[in-house]
Amino acid sequence: MLDGGASAASGLEKSLLDWYRRYQRPLPWRGEHDPYRILLAEVLLQQTRVAQAIPYYHRFLERFPTLEALGRAPLEEVLRVWQGCGYYTRARNLHRLARQTSALPPTYAGLRELPGLGPYTAAAVASIAFGEAVAAVDGNVRRVLSRLHAWEDPSPKRLQQSAQGLLEGALGYGSPGEWNQALMELGATVCTPRRPACSRCPLERFCRGKGQPERYPLPKSRRPKPIELTALILGGPMGVYLEPRSGGVLGGLWGVPMEEGPGGLERLLKRFGLEEARFVGRLRHDFTHRRLQVWVYQAPWARVEDPRRRPLSRLDQKILSLLDTA
Ligand code: SF4
């Protein structure tokens, strides 16, 4: 569900499912419930275009109609059938899996334990074959959701939560497998990486990114670099130790002592001759090209001043505000 209104959300889910029922491409694995066949289709589509994957799908199933048949075949033969499809690790993993079991477990958790099955593939098989209400987030879904919410660089957790919320909202109207496939189909055929067809998109009226869809999500090269920092507040609510900041971004401002990278706390404690500091919280702060994660600690200190008397960055204000809640 998009944050912004329950009535809009139910319309969103219905709009997409109606569109999918009408416009989905007729692919050989549509309507399929056999977990092995669904797994094969998903594995093929991971790195192969649909048009190229279809003949391999048929060829593979003709020679290995069941997981058991696949498990009995020598690897060399499996690779021969896969020949020309590329990314042979996929064929090796499928074969390894077939050697291990002749029946796929009927849950997401069980599927995740099998060799070579990542969260996306396990969720796709669990939802499509077994009807488990678990959202499958692949590249297509990531793109659609990023645009829908106008998110430049959503974390995998945020995407998964959003996808899960939508899936649960759709349950009265469609099955988990149908919903997951509908979202992927939209990404593959309408909300494409370049020049998405917003004017014929069933989600247009719900979409926050439609004005400039190609802005979302940011390409990998332009995503902010994550940086880990440790900040040490010396003092307390009555006053803290501050030092001048240097560098292009924060130079001229004042702030609490900070260190970048692993071992930051140890270096800060050593610098101030302290034995320990107490953890007060963690915060995130985004600069244009950097995403900061700051772990904030506090220790008593004698030489303190009123922070309101110094120019502080937004980041330092956020750090000090943790004292109010700690
Ligand atoms: S309106 Fe455009 S950007 Fe938004 S989901 Fe549809 S195709 Fe994608």
PDB file of all heavy atoms in Angstrom, residues 143-145 147-148 186 190-192 196-214, ligand 1:
ATOM      1  N   ARG A 143      12.396  -1.513  -9.993  1.00  0.00           N
ATOM      2  CA  ARG A 143      12.212  -0.310 -10.806  1.00  0.00           C
ATOM      3  C   ARG A 143      10.794   0.243 -10.662  1.00  0.00           C
ATOM      4  O   ARG A 143      10.594   1.438 -10.446  1.00  0.00           O
ATOM      5  CB  ARG A 143      12.522  -0.640 -12.269  1.00  0.00           C
ATOM      6  CG  ARG A 143      12.520   0.570 -13.177  1.00  0.00           C
ATOM      7  CD  ARG A 143      13.047   0.233 -14.553  1.00  0.00           C
ATOM      8  NE  ARG A 143      12.293  -0.824 -15.187  1.00  0.00           N
ATOM      9  CZ  ARG A 143      12.695  -2.070 -15.347  1.00  0.00           C
ATOM     10  NH1 ARG A 143      13.880  -2.438 -14.901  1.00  0.00           N
ATOM     11  NH2 ARG A 143      11.938  -2.977 -15.918  1.00  0.00           N
ATOM     12  N   VAL A 144       9.795  -0.634 -10.761  1.00  0.00           N
ATOM     13  CA  VAL A 144       8.403  -0.165 -10.664  1.00  0.00           C
ATOM     14  C   VAL A 144       8.163   0.498  -9.309  1.00  0.00           C
ATOM     15  O   VAL A 144       7.611   1.602  -9.232  1.00  0.00           O
ATOM     16  CB  VAL A 144       7.413  -1.334 -10.871  1.00  0.00           C
ATOM     17  CG1 VAL A 144       5.980  -0.874 -10.606  1.00  0.00           C
ATOM     18  CG2 VAL A 144       7.524  -1.909 -12.272  1.00  0.00           C
ATOM     19  N   LEU A 145       8.587  -0.154  -8.240  1.00  0.00           N
ATOM     20  CA  LEU A 145       8.324   0.398  -6.908  1.00  0.00           C
ATOM     21  C   LEU A 145       9.086   1.702  -6.676  1.00  0.00           C
ATOM     22  O   LEU A 145       8.565   2.636  -6.063  1.00  0.00           O
ATOM     23  CB  LEU A 145       8.683  -0.617  -5.818  1.00  0.00           C
ATOM     24  CG  LEU A 145       7.833  -1.891  -5.793  1.00  0.00           C
ATOM     25  CD1 LEU A 145       8.257  -2.781  -4.634  1.00  0.00           C
ATOM     26  CD2 LEU A 145       6.346  -1.568  -5.671  1.00  0.00           C
ATOM     27  N   ARG A 147       9.825   3.913  -8.837  1.00  0.00           N
ATOM     28  CA  ARG A 147       9.131   4.986  -9.553  1.00  0.00           C
ATOM     29  C   ARG A 147       7.795   5.312  -8.890  1.00  0.00           C
ATOM     30  O   ARG A 147       7.437   6.478  -8.745  1.00  0.00           O
ATOM     31  CB  ARG A 147       8.931   4.560 -11.004  1.00  0.00           C
ATOM     32  CG  ARG A 147      10.264   4.563 -11.741  1.00  0.00           C
ATOM     33  CD  ARG A 147      10.149   3.992 -13.112  1.00  0.00           C
ATOM     34  NE  ARG A 147      11.411   4.111 -13.827  1.00  0.00           N
ATOM     35  CZ  ARG A 147      11.625   3.575 -15.023  1.00  0.00           C
ATOM     36  NH1 ARG A 147      10.679   2.904 -15.630  1.00  0.00           N
ATOM     37  NH2 ARG A 147      12.795   3.716 -15.601  1.00  0.00           N
ATOM     38  N   LEU A 148       7.114   4.283  -8.493  1.00  0.00           N
ATOM     39  CA  LEU A 148       5.815   4.465  -7.839  1.00  0.00           C
ATOM     40  C   LEU A 148       5.940   5.377  -6.612  1.00  0.00           C
ATOM     41  O   LEU A 148       5.119   6.238  -6.357  1.00  0.00           O
ATOM     42  CB  LEU A 148       5.311   3.082  -7.425  1.00  0.00           C
ATOM     43  CG  LEU A 148       3.830   2.876  -7.173  1.00  0.00           C
ATOM     44  CD1 LEU A 148       3.008   3.297  -8.369  1.00  0.00           C
ATOM     45  CD2 LEU A 148       3.585   1.392  -6.874  1.00  0.00           C
ATOM     46  N   LEU A 186       4.520  -5.811 -15.494  1.00  0.00           N
ATOM     47  CA  LEU A 186       4.444  -4.366 -15.717  1.00  0.00           C
ATOM     48  C   LEU A 186       5.852  -3.797 -15.943  1.00  0.00           C
ATOM     49  O   LEU A 186       6.076  -2.992 -16.846  1.00  0.00           O
ATOM     50  CB  LEU A 186       3.784  -3.664 -14.530  1.00  0.00           C
ATOM     51  CG  LEU A 186       3.501  -2.187 -14.779  1.00  0.00           C
ATOM     52  CD1 LEU A 186       2.260  -2.016 -15.641  1.00  0.00           C
ATOM     53  CD2 LEU A 186       3.317  -1.423 -13.470  1.00  0.00           C
ATOM     54  N   VAL A 190       5.864  -2.400 -19.605  1.00  0.00           N
ATOM     55  CA  VAL A 190       5.376  -1.008 -19.601  1.00  0.00           C
ATOM     56  C   VAL A 190       6.352  -0.074 -18.885  1.00  0.00           C
ATOM     57  O   VAL A 190       6.820   0.913 -19.440  1.00  0.00           O
ATOM     58  CB  VAL A 190       3.977  -0.915 -18.939  1.00  0.00           C
ATOM     59  CG1 VAL A 190       3.532   0.545 -18.819  1.00  0.00           C
ATOM     60  CG2 VAL A 190       2.952  -1.701 -19.736  1.00  0.00           C
ATOM     61  N   CYS A 191       6.686  -0.416 -17.658  1.00  0.00           N
ATOM     62  CA  CYS A 191       7.586   0.427 -16.860  1.00  0.00           C
ATOM     63  C   CYS A 191       9.027  -0.006 -17.135  1.00  0.00           C
ATOM     64  O   CYS A 191       9.751  -0.433 -16.250  1.00  0.00           O
ATOM     65  CB  CYS A 191       7.242   0.318 -15.370  1.00  0.00           C
ATOM     66  SG  CYS A 191       8.012   1.600 -14.385  1.00  0.00           S
ATOM     67  N   THR A 192       9.430   0.120 -18.373  1.00  0.00           N
ATOM     68  CA  THR A 192      10.736  -0.361 -18.829  1.00  0.00           C
ATOM     69  C   THR A 192      11.844   0.607 -18.399  1.00  0.00           C
ATOM     70  O   THR A 192      11.558   1.778 -18.113  1.00  0.00           O
ATOM     71  CB  THR A 192      10.716  -0.468 -20.363  1.00  0.00           C
ATOM     72  OG1 THR A 192      10.145   0.743 -20.879  1.00  0.00           O
ATOM     73  CG2 THR A 192       9.872  -1.639 -20.826  1.00  0.00           C
ATOM     74  N   PRO A 196       9.591   4.508 -20.310  1.00  0.00           N
ATOM     75  CA  PRO A 196       8.415   3.749 -19.877  1.00  0.00           C
ATOM     76  C   PRO A 196       7.139   4.356 -20.460  1.00  0.00           C
ATOM     77  O   PRO A 196       7.068   5.563 -20.684  1.00  0.00           O
ATOM     78  CB  PRO A 196       8.436   3.905 -18.349  1.00  0.00           C
ATOM     79  CG  PRO A 196       9.272   5.112 -18.098  1.00  0.00           C
ATOM     80  CD  PRO A 196      10.278   5.178 -19.195  1.00  0.00           C
ATOM     81  N   ALA A 197       6.163   3.484 -20.713  1.00  0.00           N
ATOM     82  CA  ALA A 197       4.928   3.942 -21.363  1.00  0.00           C
ATOM     83  C   ALA A 197       3.905   4.370 -20.310  1.00  0.00           C
ATOM     84  O   ALA A 197       2.871   3.723 -20.121  1.00  0.00           O
ATOM     85  CB  ALA A 197       4.381   2.820 -22.233  1.00  0.00           C
ATOM     86  N   CYS A 198       4.182   5.481 -19.629  1.00  0.00           N
ATOM     87  CA  CYS A 198       3.317   5.923 -18.522  1.00  0.00           C
ATOM     88  C   CYS A 198       1.874   6.147 -18.978  1.00  0.00           C
ATOM     89  O   CYS A 198       0.939   5.902 -18.220  1.00  0.00           O
ATOM     90  CB  CYS A 198       3.863   7.192 -17.892  1.00  0.00           C
ATOM     91  SG  CYS A 198       5.507   6.961 -17.194  1.00  0.00           S
ATOM     92  N   SER A 199       1.691   6.608 -20.201  1.00  0.00           N
ATOM     93  CA  SER A 199       0.329   6.948 -20.632  1.00  0.00           C
ATOM     94  C   SER A 199      -0.562   5.713 -20.736  1.00  0.00           C
ATOM     95  O   SER A 199      -1.776   5.826 -20.708  1.00  0.00           O
ATOM     96  CB  SER A 199       0.361   7.688 -21.961  1.00  0.00           C
ATOM     97  OG  SER A 199       0.975   6.851 -22.919  1.00  0.00           O
ATOM     98  N   ARG A 200       0.040   4.525 -20.879  1.00  0.00           N
ATOM     99  CA  ARG A 200      -0.820   3.345 -20.888  1.00  0.00           C
ATOM    100  C   ARG A 200      -0.540   2.426 -19.677  1.00  0.00           C
ATOM    101  O   ARG A 200      -0.758   1.219 -19.723  1.00  0.00           O
ATOM    102  CB  ARG A 200      -0.725   2.581 -22.206  1.00  0.00           C
ATOM    103  CG  ARG A 200       0.651   2.101 -22.574  1.00  0.00           C
ATOM    104  CD  ARG A 200       0.627   1.408 -23.938  1.00  0.00           C
ATOM    105  NE  ARG A 200       1.965   1.014 -24.335  1.00  0.00           N
ATOM    106  CZ  ARG A 200       2.541  -0.113 -23.969  1.00  0.00           C
ATOM    107  NH1 ARG A 200       1.908  -0.964 -23.202  1.00  0.00           N
ATOM    108  NH2 ARG A 200       3.770  -0.397 -24.369  1.00  0.00           N
ATOM    109  N   CYS A 201      -0.066   3.064 -18.596  1.00  0.00           N
ATOM    110  CA  CYS A 201       0.246   2.276 -17.392  1.00  0.00           C
ATOM    111  C   CYS A 201      -0.955   2.262 -16.441  1.00  0.00           C
ATOM    112  O   CYS A 201      -1.520   3.315 -16.143  1.00  0.00           O
ATOM    113  CB  CYS A 201       1.454   2.894 -16.689  1.00  0.00           C
ATOM    114  SG  CYS A 201       1.818   2.118 -15.111  1.00  0.00           S
ATOM    115  N   PRO A 202      -1.327   1.097 -15.950  1.00  0.00           N
ATOM    116  CA  PRO A 202      -2.480   1.037 -15.040  1.00  0.00           C
ATOM    117  C   PRO A 202      -2.208   1.717 -13.690  1.00  0.00           C
ATOM    118  O   PRO A 202      -3.136   1.962 -12.933  1.00  0.00           O
ATOM    119  CB  PRO A 202      -2.687  -0.467 -14.843  1.00  0.00           C
ATOM    120  CG  PRO A 202      -1.349  -1.081 -15.123  1.00  0.00           C
ATOM    121  CD  PRO A 202      -0.720  -0.216 -16.179  1.00  0.00           C
ATOM    122  N   LEU A 203      -0.931   2.022 -13.405  1.00  0.00           N
ATOM    123  CA  LEU A 203      -0.606   2.643 -12.116  1.00  0.00           C
ATOM    124  C   LEU A 203      -0.372   4.145 -12.236  1.00  0.00           C
ATOM    125  O   LEU A 203       0.034   4.784 -11.276  1.00  0.00           O
ATOM    126  CB  LEU A 203       0.635   1.974 -11.508  1.00  0.00           C
ATOM    127  CG  LEU A 203       0.555   0.470 -11.276  1.00  0.00           C
ATOM    128  CD1 LEU A 203       1.782  -0.007 -10.510  1.00  0.00           C
ATOM    129  CD2 LEU A 203      -0.707   0.096 -10.504  1.00  0.00           C
ATOM    130  N   GLU A 204      -0.628   4.684 -13.410  1.00  0.00           N
ATOM    131  CA  GLU A 204      -0.251   6.084 -13.634  1.00  0.00           C
ATOM    132  C   GLU A 204      -0.817   7.032 -12.568  1.00  0.00           C
ATOM    133  O   GLU A 204      -0.123   7.879 -12.048  1.00  0.00           O
ATOM    134  CB  GLU A 204      -0.698   6.529 -15.024  1.00  0.00           C
ATOM    135  CG  GLU A 204      -0.037   7.844 -15.388  1.00  0.00           C
ATOM    136  CD  GLU A 204      -0.679   8.511 -16.575  1.00  0.00           C
ATOM    137  OE1 GLU A 204      -1.692   7.986 -17.071  1.00  0.00           O
ATOM    138  OE2 GLU A 204      -0.180   9.565 -16.977  1.00  0.00           O
ATOM    139  N   ARG A 205      -2.080   6.838 -12.226  1.00  0.00           N
ATOM    140  CA  ARG A 205      -2.664   7.829 -11.294  1.00  0.00           C
ATOM    141  C   ARG A 205      -2.161   7.656  -9.858  1.00  0.00           C
ATOM    142  O   ARG A 205      -2.429   8.469  -8.997  1.00  0.00           O
ATOM    143  CB  ARG A 205      -4.181   7.804 -11.374  1.00  0.00           C
ATOM    144  CG  ARG A 205      -4.861   6.597 -10.799  1.00  0.00           C
ATOM    145  CD  ARG A 205      -6.307   6.526 -11.270  1.00  0.00           C
ATOM    146  NE  ARG A 205      -6.845   5.201 -11.109  1.00  0.00           N
ATOM    147  CZ  ARG A 205      -7.669   4.856 -10.155  1.00  0.00           C
ATOM    148  NH1 ARG A 205      -8.051   5.738  -9.260  1.00  0.00           N
ATOM    149  NH2 ARG A 205      -8.124   3.622 -10.086  1.00  0.00           N
ATOM    150  N   PHE A 206      -1.451   6.560  -9.591  1.00  0.00           N
ATOM    151  CA  PHE A 206      -0.909   6.368  -8.238  1.00  0.00           C
ATOM    152  C   PHE A 206       0.589   6.690  -8.176  1.00  0.00           C
ATOM    153  O   PHE A 206       1.198   6.613  -7.128  1.00  0.00           O
ATOM    154  CB  PHE A 206      -1.084   4.910  -7.799  1.00  0.00           C
ATOM    155  CG  PHE A 206      -2.492   4.418  -7.952  1.00  0.00           C
ATOM    156  CD1 PHE A 206      -2.847   3.627  -9.034  1.00  0.00           C
ATOM    157  CD2 PHE A 206      -3.455   4.751  -7.019  1.00  0.00           C
ATOM    158  CE1 PHE A 206      -4.145   3.174  -9.184  1.00  0.00           C
ATOM    159  CE2 PHE A 206      -4.758   4.312  -7.162  1.00  0.00           C
ATOM    160  CZ  PHE A 206      -5.098   3.517  -8.255  1.00  0.00           C
ATOM    161  N   CYS A 207       1.184   6.970  -9.332  1.00  0.00           N
ATOM    162  CA  CYS A 207       2.644   6.979  -9.424  1.00  0.00           C
ATOM    163  C   CYS A 207       3.232   8.357  -9.139  1.00  0.00           C
ATOM    164  O   CYS A 207       2.876   9.339  -9.784  1.00  0.00           O
ATOM    165  CB  CYS A 207       3.056   6.517 -10.826  1.00  0.00           C
ATOM    166  SG  CYS A 207       4.839   6.423 -11.017  1.00  0.00           S
ATOM    167  N   ARG A 208       4.162   8.393  -8.186  1.00  0.00           N
ATOM    168  CA  ARG A 208       4.789   9.667  -7.829  1.00  0.00           C
ATOM    169  C   ARG A 208       5.959  10.002  -8.748  1.00  0.00           C
ATOM    170  O   ARG A 208       6.425  11.122  -8.775  1.00  0.00           O
ATOM    171  CB  ARG A 208       5.291   9.603  -6.390  1.00  0.00           C
ATOM    172  CG  ARG A 208       4.146   9.557  -5.419  1.00  0.00           C
ATOM    173  CD  ARG A 208       4.606   9.532  -3.986  1.00  0.00           C
ATOM    174  NE  ARG A 208       3.434   9.468  -3.135  1.00  0.00           N
ATOM    175  CZ  ARG A 208       3.436   9.020  -1.908  1.00  0.00           C
ATOM    176  NH1 ARG A 208       4.546   8.587  -1.373  1.00  0.00           N
ATOM    177  NH2 ARG A 208       2.334   8.993  -1.207  1.00  0.00           N
ATOM    178  N   GLY A 209       6.466   9.020  -9.442  1.00  0.00           N
ATOM    179  CA  GLY A 209       7.648   9.284 -10.280  1.00  0.00           C
ATOM    180  C   GLY A 209       7.317   9.496 -11.735  1.00  0.00           C
ATOM    181  O   GLY A 209       8.213   9.685 -12.553  1.00  0.00           O
ATOM    182  N   LYS A 210       6.057   9.521 -12.089  1.00  0.00           N
ATOM    183  CA  LYS A 210       5.705   9.499 -13.522  1.00  0.00           C
ATOM    184  C   LYS A 210       6.171  10.726 -14.312  1.00  0.00           C
ATOM    185  O   LYS A 210       6.396  10.629 -15.496  1.00  0.00           O
ATOM    186  CB  LYS A 210       4.203   9.300 -13.698  1.00  0.00           C
ATOM    187  CG  LYS A 210       3.390  10.480 -13.249  1.00  0.00           C
ATOM    188  CD  LYS A 210       1.917  10.206 -13.357  1.00  0.00           C
ATOM    189  CE  LYS A 210       1.157  11.285 -12.618  1.00  0.00           C
ATOM    190  NZ  LYS A 210      -0.162  10.919 -12.224  1.00  0.00           N
ATOM    191  N   GLY A 211       6.342  11.878 -13.656  1.00  0.00           N
ATOM    192  CA  GLY A 211       6.794  13.072 -14.384  1.00  0.00           C
ATOM    193  C   GLY A 211       8.184  12.880 -14.973  1.00  0.00           C
ATOM    194  O   GLY A 211       8.455  13.278 -16.087  1.00  0.00           O
ATOM    195  N   GLN A 212       9.054  12.272 -14.218  1.00  0.00           N
ATOM    196  CA  GLN A 212      10.414  12.009 -14.685  1.00  0.00           C
ATOM    197  C   GLN A 212      10.827  10.590 -14.264  1.00  0.00           C
ATOM    198  O   GLN A 212      11.723  10.416 -13.451  1.00  0.00           O
ATOM    199  CB  GLN A 212      11.405  13.046 -14.170  1.00  0.00           C
ATOM    200  CG  GLN A 212      11.004  13.686 -12.852  1.00  0.00           C
ATOM    201  CD  GLN A 212      11.980  14.738 -12.398  1.00  0.00           C
ATOM    202  OE1 GLN A 212      12.388  14.726 -11.270  1.00  0.00           O
ATOM    203  NE2 GLN A 212      12.378  15.642 -13.239  1.00  0.00           N
ATOM    204  N   PRO A 213      10.167   9.599 -14.839  1.00  0.00           N
ATOM    205  CA  PRO A 213      10.352   8.221 -14.372  1.00  0.00           C
ATOM    206  C   PRO A 213      11.783   7.713 -14.448  1.00  0.00           C
ATOM    207  O   PRO A 213      12.219   6.956 -13.587  1.00  0.00           O
ATOM    208  CB  PRO A 213       9.449   7.398 -15.298  1.00  0.00           C
ATOM    209  CG  PRO A 213       9.180   8.260 -16.473  1.00  0.00           C
ATOM    210  CD  PRO A 213       9.238   9.668 -15.974  1.00  0.00           C
ATOM    211  N   GLU A 214      12.538   8.180 -15.450  1.00  0.00           N
ATOM    212  CA  GLU A 214      13.889   7.622 -15.612  1.00  0.00           C
ATOM    213  C   GLU A 214      14.847   8.107 -14.528  1.00  0.00           C
ATOM    214  O   GLU A 214      15.977   7.655 -14.443  1.00  0.00           O
ATOM    215  CB  GLU A 214      14.413   7.923 -17.012  1.00  0.00           C
ATOM    216  CG  GLU A 214      13.643   7.119 -18.043  1.00  0.00           C
ATOM    217  CD  GLU A 214      14.098   7.349 -19.473  1.00  0.00           C
ATOM    218  OE1 GLU A 214      15.304   7.354 -19.716  1.00  0.00           O
ATOM    219  OE2 GLU A 214      13.221   7.519 -20.330  1.00  0.00           O
TER     220      GLU A 214
HETATM  221  S1  SF4 B   1       3.311   5.606 -14.434  1.00  0.00           S
HETATM  222 FE1  SF4 B   1       5.191   5.344 -15.606  1.00  0.00          FE
HETATM  223  S2  SF4 B   1       6.831   5.387 -14.068  1.00  0.00           S
HETATM  224 FE2  SF4 B   1       4.919   5.053 -12.973  1.00  0.00          FE
HETATM  225  S3  SF4 B   1       4.785   2.827 -12.743  1.00  0.00           S
HETATM  226 FE3  SF4 B   1       3.662   3.404 -14.624  1.00  0.00          FE
HETATM  227  S4  SF4 B   1       5.145   3.233 -16.297  1.00  0.00           S
HETATM  228 FE4  SF4 B   1       6.277   3.245 -14.363  1.00  0.00          FE
END
